[in-house]
Amino acid sequence: ILIDIAVEDRGKGLNSENGEPFKAGVGMASMRERVREQGGELRIHSTKSGTILRAVIPCAREENKCPSGSLS
């Protein structure tokens, strides 16, 4: 079983207006760390027309190894 969460917006994307690459701040680093702690992966796809954050976390319900607070 996988927990697959995607959040999408239609903003201007994560690249700065001066063309420099996006630098993740504390919030993005914290999200990535929390997903990794559960054995998952945080994927980020950003273009000029929006950004998608997608967290994919494995969950073995039959072994009761789901992240706490989900799929009880």
Side-chain angles (χ1 to χ4, degrees), residues 11-45:
K12 61 182 181 177
L14 295 175
N15 291 329
S16 65
E17 291 185 13
N18 63 5
E20 292 182 23
F22 169 74
K23 293 182 182 176
V26 174
M28 196 74 73
S30 176
M31 285 190 288
R32 190 178 303 274
E33 182 179 340
R34 289 171 186 250
V35 170
R36 281 188 188 153
E37 286 174 354
Q38 299 300 324
E41 178 182 7
L42 181 67
R43 302 173 189 162
I44 303 167
H45 178 73

Side-chain angles (χ1 to χ4, degrees), residues 1 3 38 58-61 63-72:
I1 298 173
I3 299 171
Q38 299 300 324
C59 177
R61 177 181 265 173
E63 297 174 20
N64 198 23
K65 292 186 179 178
C66 293
S68 59
S70 65
L71 293 179
S72 55

